[in-house]
């Protein structure tokens, strides 16, 4: 096991995490989030509604 400093260990951990996540991000379809404010009569207040829309 190599001798890691705290900074080296964090850098290696982040690099390995990025290598695992990068293929998932690259293969994900392009999406957009649309946030709309609507008035909810039952609550008597405004409510945020979020939709995920494919581009």
């Amino acid at each position: 096991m190599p001798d890691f400093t705290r900074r080296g260990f964090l850098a290696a951990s982040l690099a390995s995490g990025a290598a695992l996540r990068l293929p998932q991000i690259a293969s994900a379809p392009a999406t957009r989030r649309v946030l709309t404010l609507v008035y909810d009569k039952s609550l008597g207040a405004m409510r945020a509604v979020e939709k995920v829309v494919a581009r």
Side-chain angles (χ1 to χ4, degrees):
M1 179 99 172
D3 290 329
F4 277 127
T5 61
R6 183 181 302 157
R7 184 176 291 171
F9 175 75
L10 290 174
S13 298
L14 290 174
S16 65
L20 291 174
R21 300 284 180 231
L22 189 60
Q24 293 173 354
I25 294 170
S27 66
T31 58
R32 216 172 101 189
R33 294 181 182 266
V34 178
L35 183 67
T36 308
L37 291 174
V38 295
Y39 184 76
D40 192 342
K41 290 182 183 178
S42 64
L43 289 174
M46 297 295 283
R47 183 168 63 99
V49 176
E50 185 179 24
K51 293 181 184 177
V52 178
V53 180
R55 287 187 182 183

